[in-house]
Amino acid sequence: METINPNHTVESLNDLLTAHDIKPTSQRLEIARLLFAHHNHFAAEEIFSMINHGSHSQINSASQNSVSKATVYNTLGLFARKGLVREVIADPNKVFYDPNTRPHYHMYDPSSGELTDISADTVQISGLPAAPSGREVEGVDIVVRLRRLE
Amino acid sequence: METINPNHTVESLNDLLTAHDIKPTSQRLEIARLLFAHHNHFAAEEIFSMINHGSHSQINSASQNSVSKATVYNTLGLFARKGLVREVIADPNKVFYDPNTRPHYHMYDPSSGELTDISADTVQISGLPAAPSGREVEGVDIVVRLRRLE
DNA sequence: TTTCCATTTAGAATCATTATAAACGTTTGC
DNA sequence: GCAAACGTTTATAATGATTCTAAATGGAAA
Ligand SMILES: [Mn+2]
Ligand SMILES: [Mn+2]
Ligand SMILES: [Zn+2]
Ligand SMILES: [Zn+2]
């Protein structure tokens, strides 16, 4: 289920960040690569440990590419603010970061911690109320909560 | 927008807890009354401060009805486990407790912290995938995220 | 260079929540 | 009624994700 997409060169990631008005630094590229190479949802702590304890160096294969915890959090917040990634609120004790910003929904299994995508193509929702005055709808989140079969 | 429902006597709350296999204690009744008298979603910390600093004594009007923070958290967890209330995950830094356990959806405005109900009657969803094998769907959460109009 | 400004960082602080272990209350067994 | 047993409540400590602070770093500009 874990596919690594090699179609992200350092240059294309550079362009991606630049297009989102984010100055590409080595730390930001490292974090972006993690998110966009794996098609997966990650929490900040996971990204932090993948970068520091995992074997995912590609940009600078010689050094151990460490990024501080503060920078991981700052960077993910920045990415979300700039619309490069999306925050998914499905678990009360961690925020997931989703490299897919197009409309789609999620299925969450708290017992395994697995968060998977539901394509928006097949899903139809209707009858949702309009935003109250002075507000607009930023997005519609659907989370199908799973549990182990009794 | 804050309506207090007086249709909850101590006896009816007693029965409600008992029906959900929860032994009614004064602390549990106090917390249940807060949730069911107001038709509102509350976080644990809100309930804690409403009980301790607010003016909501009705069961024992003489004493100041204090309930410890640990008991507030324990009780809300118990209520949720027993199906008396429902947890709503809409804000990354607090869990809301919802006295309405029937299917319905939510609208959330992070800028005000307001969480409001969307009736399930008017909403149609279709095309959601089935649960993977070994799992079942516990529920489908919809959160319409709002933001201030630019 | 020297200055400037953004970025990164270690570490402290925050805050919601959970764990611990003792105190308390109520039920049960006699 | 009395005491063990058990569930409940509590103060307090611990946890863990996240944010804050204030200093260090590093590249671009002057
Ligand atoms: Mn019920
Ligand atoms: Mn948070
Ligand atoms: Zn997703
Ligand atoms: Zn609700």
Side-chain angles (χ1 to χ4, degrees):
Chain A
M1 202 103 292
E2 174 89 356
T3 316
I4 294 179
N5 184 347
N7 292 349
H8 288 285
T9 61
V10 181
E11 303 81 57
S12 70
L13 283 175
N14 240 289
D15 295 349
L16 187 62
L17 298 210
T18 304
H20 283 268
D21 194 28
I22 298 166
K23 188 179 298 183
T25 65
S26 74
Q27 290 89 340
R28 290 170 179 172
L29 286 168
E30 180 82 6
I31 292 168
R33 188 168 55 77
L34 263 180
L35 282 164
F36 289 98
H38 307 67
H39 315 74
N40 231 314
H41 311 85
F42 293 119
E45 296 287 332
E46 290 176 284
I47 289 180
F48 176 69
S49 57
M50 286 173 83
I51 286 179
N52 292 290
H53 312 304
S55 53
H56 287 285
S57 299
Q58 210 167 75
I59 289 174
N60 186 343
S61 52
S63 74
Q64 51 276 358
N65 274 108
S66 117
V67 179
S68 76
K69 190 167 284 199
T71 297
V72 170
Y73 277 95
N74 288 341
T75 300
L76 290 170
L78 176 72
F79 284 4
R81 195 153 15 85
K82 295 293 191 178
L84 180 62
V85 303
R86 167 182 169 184
E87 295 186 342
V88 178
I89 311 302
D91 186 306
N93 47 48
K94 57 187 167 185
V95 173
F96 287 102
Y97 289 88
D98 190 338
N100 183 0
T101 56
R102 287 172 310 176
H104 68 281
Y105 310 113
H106 294 98
M107 197 169 260
Y108 187 57
D109 183 352
S111 75
S112 70
E114 207 177 353
L115 183 70
T116 55
D117 281 344
I118 296 173
S119 165
D121 297 344
T122 63
V123 177
Q124 296 286 340
I125 327 167
S126 63
L128 289 177
S133 67
R135 301 292 135 103
E136 64 185 335
V137 174
E138 188 182 340
V140 175
D141 292 344
I142 299 184
V143 177
V144 176
R145 266 175 301 109
L146 301 178
R147 80 175 145 218
R148 276 209 194 73
L149 213 42
E150 64 261 23
Chain B
M1 200 103 295
E2 173 89 356
T3 316
I4 294 178
N5 183 349
N7 291 348
H8 288 284
T9 62
V10 181
E11 303 81 55
S12 70
L13 283 175
N14 240 289
D15 294 350
L16 186 63
L17 298 210
T18 303
H20 283 265
D21 194 29
I22 298 166
K23 187 179 297 183
T25 66
S26 73
Q27 290 90 338
R28 289 170 179 173
L29 287 169
E30 179 82 6
I31 292 168
R33 186 167 56 77
L34 262 181
L35 282 165
F36 289 98
H38 307 67
H39 306 319
N40 231 314
H41 311 85
F42 292 118
E45 297 288 331
E46 291 177 282
I47 289 180
F48 176 70
S49 57
M50 286 173 83
I51 286 180
N52 292 290
H53 313 303
S55 54
H56 288 285
S57 300
Q58 209 167 77
I59 289 173
N60 186 343
S61 52
S63 73
Q64 51 275 1
N65 273 109
S66 116
V67 179
S68 76
K69 189 167 285 199
T71 296
V72 169
Y73 277 94
N74 288 341
T75 299
L76 291 170
L78 177 71
F79 284 3
R81 194 152 18 83
K82 295 293 191 178
L84 179 63
V85 303
R86 167 182 169 185
E87 295 184 343
V88 178
I89 312 301
D91 186 305
N93 47 46
K94 59 188 166 183
V95 173
F96 287 103
Y97 289 88
D98 190 337
N100 183 359
T101 57
R102 286 172 310 176
H104 69 280
Y105 309 113
H106 294 99
M107 198 169 256
Y108 187 57
D109 183 352
S111 74
S112 71
E114 209 179 351
L115 183 70
T116 56
D117 281 343
I118 296 173
S119 165
D121 296 345
T122 63
V123 177
Q124 295 286 339
I125 327 168
S126 63
L128 289 176
S133 69
R135 302 291 137 104
E136 64 184 336
V137 174
E138 189 182 338
V140 175
D141 291 344
I142 299 184
V143 177
V144 176
R145 266 174 301 108
L146 300 179
R147 78 174 147 220
R148 279 210 193 76
L149 211 43
E150 63 261 21

